[in-house]
Amino acid sequence: MTRDHDILFIPGPVEVEEELRAILSMPLVGHRSQRVVALVKALGRKLGALFLTRQHALFETCPATALMEAAIRNLVNERVLHVACGAFGERWAQISKSCGRTAELLAVPWGTAVGPELLREQLRRAGPYEAIAITHNETSTGAIAPLAELCAVVREVSPQALILADVVTSLGGAELRFDDWGLDLAFAGTQKCLALPPGLCVYALSERALQRCGQVPARGWLLDFERAVAGLRNGETLATPCVPLLFALDAQLERIAAEGLPQRWARHRDMQQAVVRWAGQRGFSFFVGDAAARSPTVSTLHASGRDVQKLADGARARGFVLDRGYGKLKGQTFRIGHMGDHTLARLEELLASLD
Ligand SMILES: Cc1ncc(COP(=O)(O)O)c(C=O)c1O
């Protein structure tokens, strides 16, 4: 099949469907217009359905890293525990330090995930913390944390601690239940499982977290959660948002609702299973050994003696873009980002191209 562009199978940014790309070239409207005010209010409701929350659901024009920083600036005065199993969990701890907070790291080797018992032991031994920051899906390694179980441990051992979750590569691709799991903050960029361009961040905030903001001074201005919640109620953003992307998000949230969240999660799992079968038959092993900890949205495979650059070049020659491993794993692994609106059929085309 001939296409007008190479298909992205990297773990973000991902493919954006044509009907959504068409929205992005709309004639601009002012962000204080009635049309955008109505859109902003509607997005708050629709995002609530995506996060499965009846609390606050918001967005901001920024990359997800800005929300990692905002989480700390809004919700932590002094001491935070970072639960990390890869580059993005470690980045978050660095961000906390750079904001002058005491960031402790509960880290496990790359390729594994932090389990509930390890967290329980840490909280009992070294707690209490004001907040526990958890990377749900560690994109650098392809490991997914048992977030529901980790939340249950925090609620049991350290009920006052806020739970902050980076759901950048899980929201819309893996099961995530903000209210049921007792999360206080969760955020994602639109360029991952939401299958939109980068530039917009969506997040959910608990009532409890909103109260906590009031006890944290010097939260800054643009990413002050209290200010954002107040603005959204009136359909206002604090600064000029990426208006076309908001319209595309609205359309995409409708498409996601039409697909159904459980069906969307299942589609991602099915794609992951297809990679498991393919890898097994071709002699590639997963970087994450424990099958239960393997991400449904991104698979990291050991190079297993193959030349990753050649593999990526070969895929490119056939119209697909493949990742060549993150950071220190570059060249030793490659990642297949099977997230967003990708289908099993399209993934199978990629796998056939790798053959
Ligand atoms: C798990 C995770 N957290 C945070 C980020 C940072 O996102 P951004 O590049 O939008 O700041 C990424 C990006 O890949 C990610 O995968």
Side-chain angles (χ1 to χ4, degrees):
M1 194 210 275
T2 50
R3 297 193 182 91
D4 62 356
H5 68 281
D6 291 338
I7 301 291
L8 297 177
F9 267 101
I10 54 176
V14 303
E15 278 300 299
V16 179
E17 294 303 304
E18 204 172 334
E19 69 175 89
L20 298 170
R21 279 190 275 136
I23 295 173
L24 295 167
S25 58
M26 64 181 273
L28 273 170
V29 283
H31 61 293
R32 305 295 181 210
S33 64
Q34 279 188 0
R35 204 175 147 201
V36 174
V37 168
L39 174 69
V40 168
K41 288 183 183 168
L43 284 176
R45 287 193 300 276
K46 292 178 190 180
L47 286 170
L50 177 67
F51 281 97
L52 295 175
T53 182
R54 291 178 180 281
Q55 303 181 77
H56 308 282
L58 307 103
F59 61 84
E60 190 50 77
T61 297
C62 60
T65 305
L67 255 288
M68 296 165 96
E69 183 162 333
I72 303 306
R73 289 195 179 281
N74 277 270
L75 302 172
V76 178
N77 271 309
E78 281 172 19
R79 192 160 176 252
V80 51
L81 176 69
H82 287 271
V83 174
C85 62
F88 291 102
E90 291 166 13
R91 176 190 290 187
W92 206 357
Q94 285 302 322
I95 288 172
S96 290
K97 284 184 190 156
S98 75
C99 293
R101 287 5 178 227
T102 303
E104 290 177 27
L105 198 59
L106 175 62
V108 289
W110 286 31
T112 64
V114 173
E117 284 318 312
L118 197 61
L119 179 59
R120 186 192 311 275
E121 201 257 321
Q122 173 78 17
L123 294 177
R124 287 205 173 126
R125 191 173 47 77
Y129 297 95
E130 289 170 80
I132 316 299
I134 305 171
T135 308
H136 186 195
N137 192 71
E138 182 45 78
T139 322
S140 60
T141 67
I144 188 159
L147 187 56
E149 292 171 60
L150 298 178
C151 290
V153 166
V154 178
R155 288 285 160 264
E156 177 201 324
V157 184
S158 197
Q160 300 310 315
L162 295 180
I163 306 173
L164 320 179
D166 169 340
V167 298
V168 172
T169 44
S170 58
L171 180 72
E175 184 174 9
L176 177 74
R177 299 178 183 277
F178 189 86
D179 284 356
D180 288 354
W181 294 357
L183 287 160
D184 292 295
L185 173 75
F187 57 85
T190 46
Q191 76 274 24
K192 308 285 188 179
C193 303
L194 301 183
L196 289 167
L200 189 59
C201 210
V202 296
Y203 62 107
L205 189 70
S206 71
E207 197 50 49
R208 211 162 79 111
L210 187 61
Q211 301 302 323
R212 186 72 66 88
C213 283
Q215 300 161 21
V216 181
R219 297 186 297 276
W221 198 90
L222 177 63
L223 291 169
D224 174 355
F225 293 159
E226 263 190 0
R227 212 181 283 272
V229 168
L232 191 87
R233 274 197 197 108
N234 303 323
E236 286 167 5
T237 55
L238 296 179
T240 315
C242 41
V243 172
L245 200 40
L246 297 188
F247 280 96
L249 174 63
D250 188 54
Q252 181 64 321
L253 291 174
E254 293 289 343
R255 292 171 88 246
I256 292 172
E259 180 179 10
L261 274 181
Q263 288 76 7
R264 196 172 175 88
W265 299 334
R267 178 167 54 77
H268 283 79
R269 268 200 313 276
D270 289 348
M271 289 194 284
Q272 192 257 354
Q273 283 304 306
V275 176
V276 169
R277 284 191 300 277
W278 177 84
Q281 288 158 6
R282 306 301 184 277
F284 286 109
S285 60
F286 268 72
F287 183 67
V288 177
D290 174 7
R294 286 180 196 150
S295 163
T297 67
V298 53
S299 292
T300 304
L301 300 173
H302 283 292
S304 307
R306 270 77 148 204
D307 183 328
V308 170
Q309 184 62 52
K310 274 193 187 158
L311 205 58
D313 289 346
R316 179 68 76 124
R318 290 160 181 80
F320 295 100
V321 186
L322 191 69
D323 170 85
R324 290 163 296 147
Y326 188 94
K328 64 185 182 188
L329 299 179
K330 213 177 195 72
Q332 301 166 34
T333 63
F334 60 99
R335 295 180 300 170
I336 303 176
H338 35 75
M339 60 177 79
D341 288 337
H342 276 317
T343 59
L344 195 53
R346 198 150 66 186
L347 175 66
E348 276 163 358
E349 278 184 57
L350 165 79
L351 298 176
S353 88
L354 295 181
D355 282 339

